[in-house]
Amino acid sequence: MKTLLAGLLILCLAPPLDAATRAAEFSGDGMVASRSKWASQVGAEILADGGNAVDAAVAVGFALAVTYPSAGNLGGGGFMVIHLADGTVITNDHREKAPLAATRDMYLDEQRQVVEGLSTASHLAVGVPGTVDGLLAVLERYGTMDRADVINPAIRLAEKGIVLDRDLAAQFERRLKDFAKYPASMAVFSKSGAPYAVGERWRQPDLAATLKRIRKHGRAGFYDGRTADLLVAEMQAGGGLITHEDLTQYRSVWREPVRGTYRGYDIVSMPPPSSGGVLLVQMLNMLEGLDIKASEFGSAATIHAMVEAERRAYADRAEYLGDPDFFPVPVARLTSKDYARMRFADFDPDKASLSEDIGAGEIPLESPDTTHASIMDADGNAVAYTTTLNLSYGAKMVTTGAGFLLNNEMDDFSAKENAPNFYGLLGRAANAIEPGKRMLSSMTPTIVLQDGKPLLVTGSPGGSTIITTTLQVILNVLDHGMDVADAVASPRFHHQWQPDRILVEARGFSPDTRRLLQSMGHTNLVEVPSFLGRGIGDANSVMSTKDGIVGAADPRSAGRAVGVSPAQSRADGKSPAE
Ligand code: DON
């Protein structure tokens, strides 16, 4: 509770973010919604130049590594869900892997206690990065443009620099004490130790050089040669485990999506090693038997039903979800309608059930660290892309000489049976550390299809809250009839089985609703802030409507939706914000 209160205090003191455009953006010619105005602009320009949604998504991925460094990355991992106009649906898993030298108990001391900070703030926290292999594999298979075309915008942004807005300048300043441990991080995020000011130009020459090696050599520009040497040297200097062998062996994986249906719509989402798609479909299946539309948005009855579905799904997560290459995840069973009926048979519309008491973890409130982008082109191609370094700025460690931040994704493994990770999530054998294994994720990039065509592209950051945020956006559209801007902006809540409590954004439940929920037995309601940059989730989403494609950046943060206008011109060769 102490952590939570400290978190709330920090949050209340956080400087306000730039006032980004909040209105929904319309376009008939393609749309990109992401957390970074520069990255969204890059994606829209790629579409305007004739690229498809895949080209745009890859370009956005590289741009985010430059302009949204807390989560966009070269040194982390992500998941991409792709729907092509010809009906192909596929996912690319470029999740980080445990280094070959990793061991199950590597974060435990002699008393078998988890050593604080080892899996989040040390060289041992770093998983083998997957983003570069994933983005290039996706481009090669489904893109139409050259590697240089989609990497050049990122190189330009790193080399020429961007003029820092309040959002980024404030983030860097807040993190300076974390970066101070690492000279290479200080060199990128400060001016010899002094904070950058709003309006100053921020250049990243080492990162530009790394991007140029990737442009020239493809995956070998990252996993071999100078970049690999710099990364391995960083590991050796700091006691990390990643070797040249880890890097040359790393490959992203094409996986069949998790599929489900909800009231006649098709749901396509990320399979394990994400828990997101499985839990999303599971919860939708449980809720399908109820008349959510009739019980209406925000009522105690609707909230109660959703919390009970969430409680059951997250309990399954701790037991059954992990890397499918190492653990037989029962995906078909967990996502079947029969299973949901059985699992929800004891649902009592008037009474809360109790989560088993097996040790509660706190969910510290961090600023957004993962990031989600939604892209749709005019031809019916759509991409949902979520990428992360895990916590904000990952391990806070820039690879010396190579200019990119390293992840601390190893914390997403279960360091010990039933010991909560940073997000309070519990896990057991399915998600134990093994060499070469991918750590379980909650990232839920999702596409909702109507009659085989993309209707909604969505997803979010937020650790354990990602899955319930995605669920809420989908229910808001499909059951409550909201447009995408309202669906994304509406207040959110979250339950994850353990700890047994409902997190709710400030003023998210009315006093009457709170009283009704309490009378059903939902006695542990914890309010979290809802204002700029600090609410639950950041669900930048895109939706197809009869009037065109609508993009909505989540008003909780400073993201932006940018639509393609046919008249769009890049005559000056610059993004407007440069
Ligand atoms: O993969 C996961 O589930 C986590 N590493 C995501 C972390 C995250 O969303 C942080 N953002 N707020």
Side-chain angles (χ1 to χ4, degrees):
M1 202 58 195
K2 239 183 174 165
T3 329
L4 185 66
L5 292 178
L8 290 175
L9 190 64
I10 292 167
L11 302 177
C12 295
L13 296 174
L17 299 168
D18 274 3
T21 309
R22 300 292 176 220
E25 173 87 2
F26 279 86
S27 168
D29 299 292
M31 181 69 64
V32 180
S34 88
R35 174 62 175 79
S36 162
K37 61 191 176 198
W38 294 283
S40 294
Q41 185 66 33
V42 163
E45 285 170 3
I46 290 281
L47 293 176
D49 285 353
N52 67 9
V54 173
D55 297 313
V58 172
V60 167
F62 281 114
L64 285 169
V66 178
T67 63
Y68 191 59
S70 72
N73 65 82
L74 301 183
F79 298 129
M80 204 177 267
V81 176
I82 300 166
H83 172 276
L84 298 178
D86 68 3
T88 304
V89 189
I90 189 77
T91 75
N92 183 272
D93 159 8
H94 43 273
R95 183 71 163 166
E96 299 92 326
K97 293 173 78 157
L100 294 167
T103 55
R104 194 193 58 188
D105 297 338
M106 62 188 277
Y107 300 121
L108 305 186
D109 64 15
E110 274 145 28
Q111 282 72 49
R112 300 193 55 74
Q113 298 303 309
V114 179
V115 182
E116 209 187 313
L118 220 49
S119 65
T120 53
S122 82
H123 283 69
L124 288 177
V126 185
V128 184
T131 295
V132 174
D133 187 80
L135 291 179
L136 296 179
V138 165
L139 180 73
E140 193 172 316
R141 198 184 269 203
Y142 296 116
T144 65
M145 289 181 146
D146 292 339
R147 195 159 66 222
D149 294 332
V150 296
I151 300 181
N152 279 341
I155 293 175
R156 196 177 68 226
L157 290 163
E159 208 162 41
K160 287 193 182 166
I162 53 178
V163 176
L164 288 175
D165 56 13
R166 181 181 281 271
D167 175 28
L168 276 185
Q171 285 190 34
F172 297 173
E173 184 166 4
R174 253 200 326 272
R175 294 283 166 208
L176 277 193
K177 60 179 185 326
D178 298 320
F179 295 138
K181 271 205 291 191
Y182 304 112
S185 304
M186 285 305 270
V188 170
F189 295 109
S190 76
K191 299 176 296 176
S192 312
Y196 273 101
V198 177
E200 283 185 310
R201 188 165 281 274
W202 178 56
R203 296 185 177 87
Q204 300 177 80
D206 285 348
L207 182 58
T210 296
L211 285 162
K212 283 181 186 172
R213 287 191 289 273
I214 298 168
R215 178 177 67 184
K216 184 159 183 204
H217 303 292
R219 62 157 273 136
F222 186 85
Y223 295 92
D224 285 310
R226 180 160 171 76
T227 315
D229 290 346
L230 289 167
L231 205 165
V232 171
E234 177 69 51
M235 288 292 114
Q236 284 170 353
L241 299 181
I242 297 173
T243 61
H244 278 290
E245 193 187 355
D246 282 305
L247 295 173
T248 50
Q249 277 194 10
Y250 186 90
R251 286 291 181 287
S252 61
V253 186
W254 294 102
R255 297 189 192 275
E256 286 300 315
V258 163
R259 288 171 183 272
T261 60
Y262 185 68
R263 306 193 200 285
Y265 294 89
D266 291 302
I267 309 295
V268 185
S269 190
M270 196 63 209
S274 181
S275 59
V278 169
L279 265 70
L280 176 67
V281 169
Q282 227 184 326
M283 293 187 289
L284 288 170
N285 284 343
M286 289 187 229
L287 295 170
E288 199 176 36
L290 306 175
D291 195 345
I292 298 290
K293 187 175 178 180
S295 61
E296 291 191 44
F297 176 86
S299 71
T302 299
I303 294 162
H304 169 61
M306 290 168 68
V307 164
E308 292 305 316
E310 290 168 9
R311 192 196 305 278
R312 285 160 180 77
Y314 277 81
D316 283 353
R317 183 190 194 276
E319 186 66 27
Y320 297 120
L321 272 296
D323 181 349
D325 298 340
F326 285 75
F327 185 89
V329 183
V331 173
R333 172 96 181 119
L334 291 172
T335 56
S336 76
K337 302 269 184 203
D338 278 352
Y339 179 75
R341 263 191 293 277
M342 186 271 288
R343 200 82 172 90
F344 218 46
D346 60 352
F347 168 69
D348 181 338
D350 300 316
K351 195 166 180 302
S353 51
L354 288 175
S355 298
E356 273 174 44
D357 184 17
I358 56 164
E362 289 288 317
I363 299 185
L365 293 161
E366 268 246 332
S367 52
D369 337 280
T370 299
T371 195
H372 176 81
S374 298
I375 297 113
M376 229 186 241
D377 66 23
D379 299 323
N381 303 299
V383 178
Y385 184 45
T386 315
T387 187
T388 191
L389 291 161
N390 193 25
L391 304 190
S392 199
Y393 295 86
K396 324 296 190 255
M397 181 194 301
V398 165
T399 308
T400 308
F404 61 87
L405 279 159
L406 290 164
N407 69 81
N408 56 0
E409 215 75 63
M410 291 292 284
D411 189 62
D412 275 351
F413 277 118
S414 176
K416 182 183 161 184
E417 292 234 328
N418 294 325
N421 76 351
F422 184 88
Y423 296 100
L425 289 166
L426 307 182
R428 302 196 261 277
N431 191 32
I433 305 172
E434 292 178 63
K437 186 176 178 181
R438 287 168 156 87
M439 55 298 281
L440 183 60
S441 174
S442 299
M443 292 189 286
T444 316
T446 299
I447 302 176
V448 177
L449 302 173
Q450 183 176 27
D451 304 324
K453 298 202 165 45
L455 172 72
L456 175 69
V457 184
T458 190
S460 179
S464 55
T465 67
I466 291 173
I467 317 172
T468 55
T469 292
T470 309
L471 173 74
Q472 287 167 93
V473 173
I474 292 175
L475 295 185
N476 286 348
V477 170
L478 300 189
D479 279 331
H480 303 304
M482 292 186 200
D483 63 46
V484 67
D486 280 354
V488 163
S490 292
R492 298 198 183 112
F493 62 91
H494 168 77
H495 193 290
Q496 60 179 50
W497 171 57
Q498 295 286 13
D500 190 353
R501 67 176 178 206
I502 302 176
L503 296 183
V504 56
E505 290 181 329
R507 298 168 297 281
F509 296 163
S510 73
D512 305 9
T513 309
R514 274 206 299 273
R515 272 195 293 279
L516 282 169
L517 285 168
Q518 268 156 1
S519 72
M520 291 171 170
H522 296 287
T523 49
N524 198 1
L525 302 185
V526 178
E527 261 198 10
V528 299
S530 63
F531 52 81
L532 289 177
R534 296 294 182 274
I536 298 176
D538 181 19
N540 304 305
S541 304
V542 170
M543 188 167 160
S544 166
T545 73
K546 61 177 175 21
D547 301 320
I549 306 173
V550 186
D554 197 315
R556 290 164 185 78
S557 60
R560 186 149 316 165
V562 178
V564 179
S565 71
Q568 189 168 21
S569 133
R570 286 203 297 163
D572 64 355
K574 278 199 214 163
S575 294
E578 268 176 38

